[in-house]
Amino acid sequence: MKKDLIKSMLLGGAAFAAVPAVAQQAQSEAAVSAFNGGIEDIVVTAQKRSENVQSVPLAITALSGDGLVERNIVSVAGLASSVPNMTFGAYGGAARISIRGVGYDNIGQGQEGRVAYHLDGVYISRPADVMGTFYDVDRVEVLRGPQGTLYGRNATGGSINVVTRAPTDQFEGYVRLGYGNYNALTSEGALGGPVASGVRFRVAYTFERRDGYGENIVTGNEIDNARRRGARATLSFDLGASGRLDLSGDYYREKDRNYGNHYLGPANFAVVPFGLALGGYVASDVRDVANDFDPINDRESYGFAARAEFDLGGATLKSISAYRHSDFTLSIDGDATSVPLAIVNYFTSAARQYSQELQISGDTGALKYIVGAYYFDEKVTGGSYIPLNLRLFGGPDLFTQGFVGYGTVRTKAAAAFGQLDYDISDQWTLTVGGRYSWEKHSVRDRGAFNLSVPFPPRIDVSVPTNHVGGNSSTDKAFTPKVQVSFKPQRDLMFYASVSKGFKSGGFDIGTTNPAFDPETLWAYEGGVKGTFADGRVRINAAGFYYDYTNIQVSKVLFNTIQILNAASSVVYGAEAEVTIVPFDGFQVDVAPAWLHTAYKNFTNPNPTNPTMSPDLSGNQLIQSPETSLKIGAEYKWDFADGRVKLRGEMNYVDRIYFTPYNEDHLSREPNKKFNVFLNYDRDRWDISLYVLNLTDRTTISNALASGGLFGSPVLGTLDPPRTYGIKVGYSF
């Protein structure tokens, strides 16, 4: 451990030491145009006020909307190729985002991630709902490290802020059409402008229809296909000379055969999964499945928000009110073989959330401040059905109820927060902040294991169940932050901070397990941001150390998912983002990252391999690759009265484990992926050619050992294969 800690300090120190050396060579100036030789600057609202990203003393990666288009990043999954120490996986259609080894492994219904996701300032609780929000984007901000003061609950790992394009005073719009392999048809567009004096509108849409990446060889139908569509509308009103009100609504729908499980092998090589033992078979090509029925993915989500802002003369008052609703059904084969053994129907129905945030911010010369209050109310109903076919056990050819477990969990949360930034001098700034959070969780559950009542028609044989220790729990947390930043010159800044984040506790739906406790993380971080050589060199680097306690870890136990609180872990590492423009039109960007994670004093028997040592101390946290490296190079030139940009990328990620047991058959092996882009724009037209995963590398997105009810097969989902295509856009 000492050796690793020294390695982390040396890596971070090397990045820090490089900055003054470069700074002595040339004084920097703010870059205006990336095409003319500078590096693009982006204005962000990471601290809930508008600032240049290079002026924010945080580890933050910002991508503009144009940059997202040029790199064909059309979902949150694509951000992982551009953000250091960030990984993405998906299981059951839920986004599993991890930053610096702090991610999402609570795959049970009703659970939340550790990286907070915000759409135009609104926190989206459901991990399955973030997939349909990524269109007509102005910018994306990825904040690494706990954001316990300004963002609060469930921002232990960081925060992803998606900011969409706002209505404008001029009539404008665009449409972009695409076609790619697997008969991928895509379209995105927007239209907006003034309606009347002081009133503006904007409407946007997204559409995707794609054939499947694989086939169900039993039914002959394609799987892992896509049928997606979404729309968003915004009305903006001027409220006199000092106020503004934005009303927005969005809708998203998926209905396809996506997110089904692929058979990846046995979890215990001494046990044959029951589907195979009973004469079933699996597909020889891992991209295909041999399931007795096709996966069914059917989800719908929508939301409404009202954002008001008033200039009070020396202070600004903001209010963000929001409501969100989602319905989600996913039916998948529980044993992933051709045997008609079981259907696993995970669902979340009538999930809804209300949220309200108030902020007052101001600037009194040397002092900047923001204070606010937040309220959140969510209700999630979900669970699982596992009907069984008794024919396999000598019974009649019909389905019976099998296992049933579902329930409703209610969360109410309130918080008060504040942050002060005080300029001690022209070079030194002290930041002090804190947030007090209160949360209450309550649950109503039902369950049954019945092998006699036919299914269908579904007859509710479930009975109320109580959780050990009671059906409600309350969490309280104070998450402070202290930070100091130093700017020896205009485009060079050093910072150091101590902050705390927490993820709330809760209940496992459909079980009798006691409430699990909240987890907390103390973070110690130091970083540097510098722009040099007349805007042609930029170095952003950070080193960090986390004291991570009471970690929530999930495991499959029989046929339910149980969340445990591991003792603690230590996390430390370093990362950097280096961008160099050696001459006009050519840019190189490099983002190395190193990460050490290890459980401390964690003992937990492996339910699928009971002979394995239960002592997991020293094992890596899930979704925590030790090393990763992102390299990109692009060249731009004038051509045919327009501009051409050619870009190539390489993304290397070390081994990722999906469970705390660190078994290779439940991991993603180290891999390199390459992307290539060719973009041309002229006047109002733009054309993009892209190839993602150039070498067609097959990698696992996520995997788990299914329950003992099926003989514990390893089931998982896969990342996309090589995809390529063309997109044509027109702006007006």
Side-chain angles (χ1 to χ4, degrees):
M1 177 176 173
K2 291 182 178 179
K3 181 179 179 181
D4 288 339
L5 182 57
I6 293 172
K7 181 180 177 182
S8 173
M9 294 172 66
L10 289 176
L11 180 58
F16 280 64
V19 176
V22 176
Q24 293 173 3
Q25 297 177 12
Q27 293 183 348
S28 60
E29 296 180 359
V32 178
S33 171
F35 191 82
N36 292 330
I39 300 171
E40 179 184 18
D41 284 333
I42 300 176
V43 174
V44 298
T45 52
Q47 297 191 109
K48 303 196 175 184
R49 58 175 178 260
S50 296
E51 301 170 287
N52 186 310
V53 65
Q54 287 301 106
S55 301
V56 181
L58 296 172
I60 175 175
T61 298
L63 297 170
S64 68
D66 291 340
L68 297 173
V69 172
E70 291 176 352
R71 302 185 190 187
N72 198 49
I73 298 177
V74 296
S75 69
V76 65
L79 294 175
S81 65
S82 298
V83 180
N85 264 329
M86 174 182 172
T87 65
F88 179 89
Y91 191 91
R96 299 184 64 162
I97 304 167
S98 177
I99 296 178
R100 294 177 174 175
V102 183
Y104 171 61
D105 68 334
N106 301 340
I107 59 177
Q109 301 302 306
Q111 304 306 327
E112 299 175 76
R114 297 179 174 94
V115 177
Y117 187 93
H118 297 84
L119 177 66
D120 292 328
V122 176
Y123 170 63
I124 297 181
S125 172
R126 299 293 93 224
D129 289 350
V130 307
M131 310 289 260
T133 59
F134 219 86
Y135 58 97
D136 195 34
V137 174
D138 179 71
R139 68 182 183 277
V140 177
E141 308 166 2
V142 182
L143 286 63
R144 301 187 294 279
Q147 307 298 320
T149 297
L150 294 181
Y151 293 95
R153 64 189 311 270
N154 303 333
T156 322
S159 178
I160 296 178
N161 302 335
V162 177
V163 182
T164 63
R165 292 188 173 100
T168 58
D169 292 324
Q170 290 80 37
F171 185 76
E172 64 170 19
Y174 71 94
V175 62
R176 185 168 291 109
L177 305 175
Y179 180 76
N181 60 332
Y182 298 98
N183 286 319
L185 295 172
T186 61
S187 182
E188 178 183 317
L191 177 68
V195 176
S197 178
V199 182
R200 298 163 295 278
F201 83 100
R202 188 175 185 90
V203 293
Y205 76 93
T206 182
F207 169 85
E208 180 181 8
R209 183 183 180 92
R210 172 180 50 75
D211 291 346
Y213 295 143
E215 178 186 357
N216 185 348
I217 62 175
V218 174
T219 66
N221 294 324
E222 60 185 25
I223 51 102
D224 291 336
N225 64 338
R227 301 289 187 271
R228 302 166 180 159
R229 61 186 185 274
R232 181 187 303 117
T234 304
L235 273 176
S236 180
F237 303 87
D238 290 336
L239 303 179
S242 60
R244 173 171 170 161
L245 172 65
D246 293 333
L247 302 177
S248 64
D250 63 89
Y251 175 84
Y252 182 73
R253 180 72 192 275
E254 287 185 25
K255 190 171 185 180
D256 46 37
R257 291 187 289 273
N258 209 345
Y259 310 128
N261 278 331
H262 295 250
Y263 178 82
L264 302 177
N268 186 337
F269 293 98
V271 177
V272 178
F274 296 159
L276 298 179
L278 293 167
Y281 57 89
V282 297
S284 58
D285 187 336
V286 71
R287 290 239 171 243
D288 297 332
V289 299
N291 296 350
D292 52 289
F293 70 98
D294 296 321
I296 301 173
N297 169 53
D298 190 352
R299 67 183 65 199
E300 178 184 59
S301 63
Y302 56 85
F304 306 96
R307 302 169 188 84
E309 181 173 332
F310 300 91
D311 185 351
L312 304 180
T316 300
L317 171 65
K318 294 182 181 179
S319 170
I320 303 175
S321 309
Y323 169 83
R324 297 204 64 84
H325 175 91
S326 65
D327 287 311
F328 168 48
T329 300
L330 178 66
S331 296
I332 55 178
D333 193 327
D335 67 300
T337 72
S338 59
V339 173
L341 179 63
I343 300 173
V344 180
N345 185 358
Y346 293 106
F347 70 94
T348 300
S349 62
R352 63 102 183 114
Q353 70 172 63
Y354 303 94
S355 62
Q356 173 63 54
E357 181 166 352
L358 293 173
Q359 307 170 16
I360 297 180
S361 59
D363 183 345
T364 60
L367 178 67
K368 299 183 181 67
Y369 66 89
I370 179 171
V371 295
Y374 181 77
Y375 177 76
F376 177 83
D377 186 332
E378 181 182 49
K379 182 170 73 173
V380 182
T381 300
S384 60
Y385 289 89
I386 309 179
L388 301 179
N389 192 327
L390 294 185
R391 178 181 59 181
L392 299 172
F393 307 99
D397 184 12
L398 52 80
F399 284 111
T400 60
Q401 291 282 338
F403 171 78
V404 179
Y406 66 93
T408 298
V409 62
R410 180 82 178 268
T411 300
K412 293 184 177 182
F417 62 90
Q419 179 170 302
L420 304 176
D421 297 276
Y422 180 69
D423 294 332
I424 301 173
S425 68
D426 292 339
Q427 296 179 322
W428 292 90
T429 299
L430 174 66
T431 299
V432 179
R435 187 184 191 105
Y436 180 80
S437 301
W438 171 92
E439 298 197 8
K440 182 177 181 180
H441 312 276
S442 57
V443 64
R444 297 194 310 272
D445 269 312
R446 301 181 68 89
F449 191 79
N450 187 294
L451 297 178
S452 61
V453 179
F455 178 101
R458 182 179 298 163
I459 301 171
D460 190 355
V461 298
S462 64
V463 296
T465 58
N466 292 315
H467 289 255
V468 176
N471 294 337
S472 65
S473 66
T474 300
D475 301 331
K476 300 175 183 179
F478 177 65
T479 50
K481 176 180 180 178
V482 178
Q483 178 177 274
V484 62
S485 60
F486 172 61
K487 297 188 67 173
Q489 59 188 51
R490 187 178 66 177
D491 291 332
L492 178 61
M493 176 178 63
F494 298 88
Y495 66 90
S497 66
V498 179
S499 61
K500 183 182 180 181
F502 94 105
K503 181 181 183 299
S504 60
F507 290 91
D508 304 320
I509 290 182
T511 73
T512 60
N513 299 331
F516 52 88
D517 296 327
E519 60 182 31
T520 58
L521 187 153
W522 277 100
Y524 307 86
E525 181 172 332
V528 61
K529 291 187 174 185
T531 305
F532 317 101
D534 295 326
R536 291 182 178 271
V537 177
R538 176 166 293 172
I539 301 175
N540 294 344
F544 53 90
Y545 180 93
Y546 290 171
D547 186 3
Y548 195 5
T549 59
N550 237 19
I551 307 172
Q552 298 165 8
V553 179
S554 67
K555 70 175 184 178
V556 178
L557 193 62
F558 184 55
N559 50 7
T560 62
I561 298 171
Q562 181 179 5
I563 298 178
L564 308 172
N565 287 100
S568 62
S569 80
V570 60
V571 176
Y572 51 83
E575 62 204 17
E577 294 176 285
V578 180
T579 305
I580 302 173
V581 181
F583 54 86
D584 287 359
F586 184 65
Q587 175 178 300
V588 177
D589 45 270
V590 183
W594 178 73
L595 181 65
H596 173 86
T597 64
Y599 291 105
K600 297 193 301 183
N601 304 319
F602 181 27
T603 301
N604 188 27
N606 188 333
T608 61
N609 286 296
T611 60
M612 179 180 177
S613 172
D615 185 5
L616 306 183
S617 302
N619 282 11
Q620 286 182 214
L621 274 64
I622 66 163
Q623 289 185 270
S624 303
E626 185 174 4
T627 58
S628 59
L629 176 64
K630 309 175 196 302
I631 300 176
E634 60 188 41
Y635 181 61
K636 298 169 282 190
W637 68 94
D638 294 320
F639 177 77
D641 297 326
R643 292 166 296 277
V644 177
K645 177 188 287 186
L646 175 64
R647 179 177 175 83
E649 297 176 344
M650 187 279 288
N651 185 18
Y652 168 79
V653 182
D654 208 344
R655 185 176 295 276
I656 291 177
Y657 292 104
F658 299 126
T659 74
Y661 303 106
N662 285 191
E663 300 167 287
D664 284 353
H665 57 276
L666 281 162
S667 72
R668 180 197 304 165
E669 64 181 6
N671 66 90
K672 294 188 294 288
K673 290 186 178 180
F674 301 88
N675 304 323
V676 180
F677 311 95
L678 180 63
N679 297 284
Y680 172 75
D681 65 273
R682 175 183 176 182
D683 298 328
R684 299 179 181 274
W685 291 92
D686 63 86
I687 302 175
S688 300
L689 299 173
Y690 64 90
V691 183
L692 305 178
N693 190 8
L694 179 66
T695 59
D696 199 20
R697 186 71 179 265
T698 300
T699 54
I700 300 171
S701 179
N702 221 288
L704 58 77
S706 188
L709 187 65
F710 308 122
S712 302
V714 176
L715 309 179
T717 53
L718 303 178
D719 294 317
R722 176 174 52 231
T723 56
Y724 53 86
I726 182 173
K727 292 186 177 182
V728 179
Y730 178 74
S731 303
F732 53 89

